[in-house]
């Protein structure tokens, strides 16, 4: 991984020596460059450059991640240059041409996965969740909405960054604005130049797997001499002449009007298969009609599923002030007892397990867990449940806030001391809150999932929808 990052950093340095001004990224002059390539250069020189600049100021993992993102954008620019000079390729060839972009996306996402302990994990997650937007070039006929969908996936993490640094570090807030503006500007760019998919040239050779975009000369250098003229068009063959004659004969017959049917012979009842079933049993090939229409397969998946990797080891350890509980399966007696107020717990990818946290702790996060039971005493901050399924949480003491996001199936058992807890949910289903009774049992209350929104003349008013039945 480190060697791959070094290679990407070197590639970015070479590309940065090429990009020396707005509208001149990769070209010393705008002459001979397609308009939509120039517009993409404007995006690189504007929002992307601002994002790279602020990421360098933040430094650390954010800076490394930004360099990987920049390399992916430059790879996409190379594809745009190729598309502006070549006709649309076959599906197989297009898949090969998209491979560099797919690899850059994978590198960005792998970096997040390998740095889950990073202090800037929310930054890495925001980028990792939205970087598949680079695959818009393969998302015909609606590339713009696809980019918006990927941008929305990053909002959960960018909102957490804004909440954490809003009144503390303005640089972090500017980083969020700069990063999101890349995708906002990209949507506008796609709407103007590639509304229904990547625009290919109407002229030039057809792009193939071995096609490479011309290497861009450094700014100020003389452009390379033009290549040899295209070979002359081949002389029409005898087959093309025969085709022209056949078409002429066809139109001549059509123009005969009603006389065109004079050559047809009458088909009697004994020659019709539906009136003479014996004809169906006779030998000989049966002519079938045309094959039904089937939707074409997508050209390429810009974000291919990662290769199956060895099973990650199970963890339950204290790293600094963070308790890491990861990759636990069928573990029913997990206990964290030696806790402090400043510590946090991060529970990741645990399945069919039970975790008990004793004492008072700052916060707890459950991420990508299934069939997990969590029992804890006191939390002074927040309990977050993200991207999970079939979760049961029991509060023994007190907790101010529980956040449920992108989770299907969540039961929250409150104690008598935590009845004032705020429960915030988004994009989740099958949520229930269980309230203790005097007899020691629990009464179950479902969290609303369906809402009605109306305009009252001044603002939107949203209320819970109750469906009878």
């Amino acid at each position: 991984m480190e060697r791959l990052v070094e290679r990407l950093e070197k590639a970015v340095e070479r590309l940065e020596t090429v990009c020396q001004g707005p509208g001149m990224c990769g070209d010393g002059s705008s002459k001979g460059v397609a308009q939509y390539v120039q517009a993409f250069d404007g995006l690189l020189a504007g929002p992307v450059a601002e994002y790279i600049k602020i990421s360098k100021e933040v430094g650390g993992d954010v800076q490394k991640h930004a360099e990987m993102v920049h390399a992916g954008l430059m790879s996409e620019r190379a594809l745009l240059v190729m598309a502006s000079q070549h006709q649309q390729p076959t599906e197989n060839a297009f898949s090969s041409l998209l491979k560099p972009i797919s690899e850059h996306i994978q590198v960005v996402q792998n970096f997040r996965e390998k740095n889950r302990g990073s202090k800037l994990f929310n930054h890495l997650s925001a980028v990792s969740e939205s970087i598949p937007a680079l695959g818009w070039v393969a998302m015909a006929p609606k590339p713009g909405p696809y980019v918006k969908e990927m941008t929305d996936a990053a909002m959960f993490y960018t909102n957490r960054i804004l909440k954490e640094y809003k009144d503390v570090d303005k640089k972090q807030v500017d980083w969020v604005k700069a990063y999101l503006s890349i995708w906002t500007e990209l949507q506008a760019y796609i709407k103007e130049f590639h509304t229904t998919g990547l625009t290919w040239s109407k002229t030039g050779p057809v792009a193939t797997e071995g096609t490479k975009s011309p290497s861009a000369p450094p700014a100020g250098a003389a452009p390379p001499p033009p290549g040899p003229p295209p070979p002359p068009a081949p002389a029409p063959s005898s087959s093309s002449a025969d085709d022209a004659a056949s078409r002429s004969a066809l139109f001549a017959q059509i123009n005969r009007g009603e006389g065109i049917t004079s050559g047809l012979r009458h088909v009697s009842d004994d020659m019709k298969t539906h009136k003479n079933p014996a004809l169906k049993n006779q030998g000989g090939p049966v002519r079938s009609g045309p094959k039904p229409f089937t939707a074409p397969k997508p050209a390429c998946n810009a974000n291919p599923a990662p290769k199956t990797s060895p099973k990650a080891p199970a963890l339950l350890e204290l790293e600094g002030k963070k308790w890491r509980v990861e990759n636990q399966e069928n573990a029913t007696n997990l206990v964290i007892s030696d806790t402090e107020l400043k510590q946090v717990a991060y529970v990741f990818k645990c399945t069919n397990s039970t975790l008990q946290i004793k004492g008072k702790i700052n916060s707890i996060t459950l991420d990508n867990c299934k069939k997990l039971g969590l029992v804890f005493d006191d939390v002074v901050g927040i309990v977050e449940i993200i991207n999970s399924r079939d979760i049961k949480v029991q509060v023994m003491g007190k907790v101010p806030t529980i956040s449920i996001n992108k989770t299907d199936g969540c039961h929250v058992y409150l104690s008598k001391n935590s009845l004032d807890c705020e429960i915030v949910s988004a994009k989740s289903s099958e949520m229930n809150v269980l309230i203790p009774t005097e007899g020691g049992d629990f009464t179950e209350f479902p969290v609303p999932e369906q809402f009605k929104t109306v305009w009252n003349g001044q603002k939107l008013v949203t209320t819970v929808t109750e469906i009878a039945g």
Side-chain angles (χ1 to χ4, degrees):
M1 179 67 184
E2 293 180 356
R3 292 180 59 190
L4 184 56
V5 171
E6 290 177 2
R7 288 171 56 193
L8 286 172
E9 289 176 349
K10 291 180 180 178
V12 170
E13 290 175 1
R14 291 197 298 269
L15 291 169
E16 287 177 343
T17 59
V18 173
C19 300
Q20 296 187 2
M24 299 181 66
C25 185
D27 288 289
S29 170
S30 61
K31 294 181 180 179
V33 179
Q35 185 179 1
Y36 66 69
V37 176
Q38 295 182 42
F40 191 80
D41 287 345
L43 188 148
L44 293 174
V48 175
E50 182 67 14
Y51 159 68
I52 298 294
K53 174 187 172 184
I54 299 178
S55 296
K56 287 182 178 179
E57 295 175 359
V58 175
D61 293 335
V62 169
Q63 180 180 357
K64 295 177 182 178
H65 223 199
E67 291 170 353
M68 298 175 191
V69 173
H70 188 259
L73 287 163
M74 295 306 297
S75 179
E76 185 150 277
R77 182 192 184 275
L79 180 64
L80 292 174
V81 173
M82 181 192 305
S84 69
Q85 300 174 355
H86 294 78
Q87 297 184 49
Q88 188 169 359
T90 62
E91 289 186 6
N92 290 337
F94 191 35
S95 298
S96 298
L97 295 175
L98 288 172
K99 190 175 180 181
I101 296 177
S102 299
E103 291 175 346
H104 282 297
I105 292 173
Q106 199 64 49
V107 167
V108 171
Q109 294 183 324
N110 287 342
F111 186 80
R112 189 273 292 264
E113 296 302 320
K114 292 181 181 295
N115 291 275
R116 285 190 166 271
S118 173
K119 295 180 180 179
L120 301 172
F121 181 71
N122 286 331
H123 297 66
L124 304 185
S125 297
V127 175
S128 180
E129 292 292 329
S130 54
I131 194 63
L134 291 179
W136 68 265
V137 289
M139 293 300 166
K142 296 182 178 180
Y146 172 75
V147 174
K148 185 180 186 305
E149 182 181 348
M150 294 299 102
T151 307
D152 291 343
M155 296 296 286
F156 174 76
Y157 294 99
T158 56
N159 287 341
R160 295 177 72 175
I161 297 171
L162 294 176
K163 182 179 179 180
E164 182 178 357
Y165 294 101
K166 185 176 181 180
D167 300 320
V168 179
D169 189 348
K170 184 176 181 298
K171 186 186 301 179
Q172 307 290 346
V173 177
D174 292 340
W175 182 89
V176 170
K177 293 179 181 178
Y179 180 70
L180 293 180
S181 69
I182 295 175
W183 307 121
T184 303
E185 292 295 324
L186 182 60
Q187 290 177 57
Y189 166 81
I190 292 172
K191 184 176 182 180
E192 181 175 358
F193 297 102
H194 309 276
T195 309
T196 58
L198 179 59
T199 302
W200 292 85
S201 174
K202 302 295 184 188
T203 59
V206 176
T208 60
E209 295 184 20
T211 304
K212 294 183 178 180
S213 59
S215 57
S237 62
S238 59
S239 60
S240 61
D242 293 341
D243 291 341
S246 298
R247 285 195 295 270
S248 299
L250 174 62
F251 286 116
Q253 287 192 356
I254 292 174
N255 291 332
R256 289 169 58 190
E258 295 182 358
I260 193 172
T261 62
S262 60
L264 300 178
R265 65 171 181 165
H266 176 69
V267 180
S268 59
D269 290 345
D270 61 340
M271 300 172 65
K272 301 175 181 178
T273 56
H274 67 283
K275 291 190 176 183
N276 188 3
L279 291 176
K280 296 182 179 179
N281 300 326
Q282 296 179 1
V286 179
R287 299 183 64 183
S288 61
K291 293 182 179 179
F293 171 79
T294 55
K297 296 180 180 179
C300 177
N301 184 359
N303 185 20
K307 298 180 180 179
T308 56
S309 56
K311 186 177 179 180
L315 290 179
L316 198 164
E317 63 181 14
L318 178 61
E319 186 180 85
K321 296 180 181 179
K322 176 188 287 189
W323 282 99
R324 295 178 58 189
V325 184
E326 301 181 6
N327 306 306
Q328 299 283 350
E329 292 186 9
N330 303 315
T332 58
N333 56 351
L334 300 173
V335 179
I336 297 176
S337 56
D338 188 14
T339 58
E340 297 179 5
L341 184 60
K342 295 182 179 180
Q343 293 175 348
V344 300
Y346 181 73
V347 185
F348 174 70
K349 219 168 188 178
C350 293
T351 305
N352 198 27
S353 300
T354 302
L355 171 64
Q356 182 179 7
I357 301 178
K358 299 180 179 181
K360 186 175 290 187
I361 196 170
N362 186 278
S363 66
I364 303 173
T365 300
L366 307 185
D367 186 2
N368 204 10
C369 295
K370 295 180 182 178
K371 296 183 179 180
L372 177 73
L374 171 66
V375 182
F376 64 90
D377 290 344
D378 294 285
V379 170
V380 298
I382 185 173
V383 174
E384 295 180 282
I385 306 166
I386 312 166
N387 296 323
S388 297
R389 184 184 303 169
D390 297 333
I391 303 297
K392 292 184 178 180
V393 176
Q394 183 168 6
V395 187
M396 304 303 292
K398 196 172 180 64
V399 59
T401 307
I402 296 177
S403 173
I404 308 172
N405 193 285
K406 296 182 181 179
T407 295
D408 296 324
C410 183
H411 289 69
V412 178
Y413 294 78
L414 296 178
S415 65
K416 292 182 179 180
N417 293 331
S418 61
L419 295 180
D420 58 348
C421 168
E422 294 181 355
I423 299 177
V424 182
S425 61
K427 297 182 179 180
S428 299
S429 62
E430 301 176 28
M431 298 171 289
N432 295 281
V433 178
L434 293 96
I435 306 298
T437 63
E438 293 296 334
D441 295 328
F442 287 86
T443 303
E444 184 173 345
F445 296 91
V447 176
E449 299 176 24
Q450 190 170 21
F451 307 90
K452 178 178 66 177
T453 301
V454 296
W455 174 254
N456 69 355
Q458 296 180 338
K459 62 179 182 180
L460 293 175
V461 178
T462 301
T463 55
V464 176
T465 300
E466 297 183 2
I467 302 177

